Amino acid sequence: MPWFDWISLFARWFHVIAGVAWIGASFYFIWLDNNLRTPPDWKKEKGIKGDLWAVHGGGFYEVAKYAYGPAQIPEKLHWFKWEAYTTWLSGFFLLGLVYYHGASIYLIDASVMQLSVAEAIARGLGLIFGGLFIYEAACRSPLGRSPVYFAVFLLALITLASYLACHWFSGRGAFMHVGALIGTIMAGNVFFKIMPAQRLMVNAVANKGEIDPAWGEAAKLRSVHNNYFTLPLLFIMISNHYPMTYQHELNWLILVAIGIVSAWIRHYFNLKHIGISRPSVLITGAIGMVLIALWVSMPRSEPVGEFGDNAARVNQVSAPVLTEEQQDVFDIIQTHCANCHGANPTDDIFVVAPLGLMLDNWQQVEARAPLIYQRAAVSKDMPLMNKTAMTEDERQVIARWFTHLQP
């Protein structure tokens, strides 16, 4: 329906705007903290621990970080929290709108696992909030005090989440759920640790009390975690445009590999901010991306799921007896759509089905009737650029068929 597309458009637009603001703030404050320098003695006497000079927009700026805090808390104190909260809220709204409301189209793939809509949603929510609980528990345990061991744990957690998601859901839905898990962890870091630590610090300064160094250390550690999460999360946000990643038979491993390389590239910039130049990090990261691209581009067998070979599964589906109207629709779909949206696309551009959408048999066509109707008969943007020359009469056949499906 048009209203659904408009809601999706505005929600996605808002999510991108909020995400840009949040990630921009994350990048800026990590850069700022890493570039603070020891101030002259006269500034130290004022309680300044580090300062930085910058020029931008035709002016000079001086930023100072206090060892304790200002003599008086300013009336206007910027907290930088709503960027995180609005990003998460809008992202979760989109997850519900696209992948839970449209679970039968975008989340459930029978060739991966047979799930009801309720089961798929339950697994999705369990993956996101279960992963958040495990991460938070680990951060608060002795493991959280060891950067190396915690990094290994975090990699294992994301790998497990990727493997489970890719063996439960469609490839596209799996990637988005791993992204939702990472985004939820990042927002949780702000809500559960960074903001409470800042409140404690502000209250202590306002009341001239002692500041526990552990407050700031814990908050900064979570900020660093968020900083390394940003590039893997940005990849996931755009991955639905590239089915060669999420439709690969080892899609979970591709997701983990790109996440590792992305975080490694982010590490180069974090080192550079503190004056350490390691071109080898950037070079090895670029080589890693090239190797992943070569690996994904290698000839491979057809996508496989829990039930085995997709093409074989398609052939095993018992062919129902179709009415004349259904047969007309199916013939149109096979002529104009299945060349891209099939287990073995014959299109000269798409080597895997866009969005993971396959229309090889009537069951698949019927399950995706709302989407087919919307794209072929309403918006009429499919087939792409009308490469197969679908006629207006054929679009009307689809429209009438969908209308007859409605109660």
Side-chain angles (χ1 to χ4, degrees):
M1 296 181 180
W3 63 265
F4 181 88
D5 288 337
W6 280 110
I7 292 174
S8 178
L9 168 62
F10 287 129
R12 198 178 303 273
W13 191 10
F14 182 83
H15 181 59
V16 170
I17 292 170
V20 168
W22 184 16
I23 291 174
S26 172
F27 280 8
Y28 173 71
F29 278 105
I30 291 293
W31 172 87
L32 177 64
D33 205 54
N34 287 337
N35 278 279
L36 291 172
R37 297 295 180 261
T38 303
D41 291 339
W42 66 271
K43 287 188 176 182
K44 291 180 181 178
E45 293 173 1
K46 294 184 177 182
I48 295 176
K49 179 182 180 180
D51 71 344
L52 173 145
W53 284 88
V55 59
H56 181 73
F60 291 92
Y61 297 82
E62 181 184 13
V63 181
K65 180 178 182 179
Y66 284 80
Y68 176 77
Q72 183 177 352
I73 297 295
E75 183 178 345
K76 183 64 176 177
L77 188 61
H78 299 281
W79 287 80
F80 295 95
K81 58 182 179 180
W82 286 108
E83 295 88 345
Y85 297 160
T86 53
T87 300
W88 187 84
L89 289 170
S90 58
F92 204 80
F93 176 77
L94 271 173
L95 184 72
L97 189 68
V98 177
Y99 291 95
Y100 294 163
H101 180 267
S104 61
I105 298 173
Y106 294 114
L107 185 59
I108 299 170
D109 184 346
S111 67
V112 177
M113 181 175 283
Q114 291 276 14
L115 295 170
S116 68
V117 171
E119 288 172 335
I121 294 174
R123 285 174 184 255
L125 293 175
L127 183 81
I128 295 169
F129 292 105
L132 172 64
F133 177 82
I134 294 171
Y135 168 85
E136 193 64 31
C139 283
R140 296 170 186 265
S141 74
L143 183 65
R145 296 192 287 271
S146 173
V148 174
Y149 289 125
F150 190 83
V152 173
F153 156 79
L154 196 55
L155 175 60
L157 176 64
I158 298 301
T159 300
L160 176 61
S162 301
Y163 182 85
L164 291 176
C166 289
H167 284 76
W168 290 347
F169 310 130
S170 68
R172 179 181 174 184
F175 274 36
M176 287 301 122
H177 271 76
V178 175
L181 168 60
I182 293 174
T184 300
I185 287 174
M186 292 173 68
N189 281 336
V190 175
F191 184 80
F192 293 121
K193 183 57 65 174
I194 296 174
M195 293 308 300
Q198 290 180 179
R199 291 191 188 97
L200 290 170
M201 183 181 67
V202 170
N203 289 336
V205 172
N207 297 306
K208 308 303 180 185
E210 293 291 328
I211 293 180
D212 186 344
W215 299 341
E217 291 171 1
K220 183 176 180 180
L221 179 62
R222 299 297 186 96
S223 293
V224 171
H225 288 181
N226 282 3
N227 185 263
Y228 280 99
F229 274 137
T230 50
L231 295 191
L233 185 57
L234 284 172
F235 161 73
I236 292 173
M237 288 178 68
I238 65 172
S239 65
N240 62 334
H241 296 287
Y242 302 97
M244 72 271 197
T245 58
Y246 62 76
Q247 284 297 103
H248 195 277
E249 56 192 6
L250 293 175
N251 48 8
W252 66 274
L253 194 55
I254 291 171
L255 178 56
V256 171
I258 292 179
I260 291 172
V261 174
S262 301
W264 182 241
I265 291 173
R266 183 64 210 160
H267 184 58
Y268 165 80
F269 292 100
N270 288 339
L271 289 176
K272 190 173 178 62
H273 295 337
I274 58 176
I276 300 175
S277 180
R278 294 274 177 81
S280 59
V281 174
L282 200 59
I283 293 171
T284 52
I287 292 173
M289 284 296 187
V290 171
L291 291 177
I292 292 171
L294 291 173
W295 168 41
V296 173
S297 301
M298 290 174 60
R300 60 189 178 89
S301 60
E302 296 163 10
V304 295
E306 178 178 298
F307 296 94
D309 187 279
N310 277 356
R313 179 171 174 77
V314 167
N315 292 331
Q316 291 169 5
V317 176
S318 57
V321 177
L322 304 181
T323 66
E324 183 178 350
E325 180 182 58
Q326 290 172 334
Q327 188 64 56
D328 289 342
V329 170
F330 188 66
D331 289 343
I332 291 170
I333 297 298
Q334 294 307 298
T335 300
H336 297 288
C337 308
N339 58 315
C340 292
H341 293 285
N344 298 290
T346 58
D347 185 76
D348 55 352
I349 295 178
F350 298 104
V351 295
V352 293
L355 306 181
L357 178 64
M358 297 187 192
L359 303 172
D360 289 306
N361 58 60
W362 180 250
Q363 287 88 341
Q364 292 171 333
V365 170
E366 199 167 38
R368 290 153 179 80
L371 182 63
I372 294 170
Y373 166 72
Q374 181 63 37
R375 303 299 294 274
V378 179
S379 65
K380 301 180 182 179
D381 60 331
M382 285 290 152
L384 182 64
M385 300 180 67
N386 205 15
K387 291 173 63 175
T388 56
M390 180 182 285
T391 66
E392 183 60 31
D393 287 342
E394 289 173 321
R395 296 184 190 278
Q396 289 307 310
V397 169
I398 293 175
R400 285 192 296 272
W401 160 69
F402 181 77
T403 301
H404 294 159
L405 292 177
Q406 305 310 300

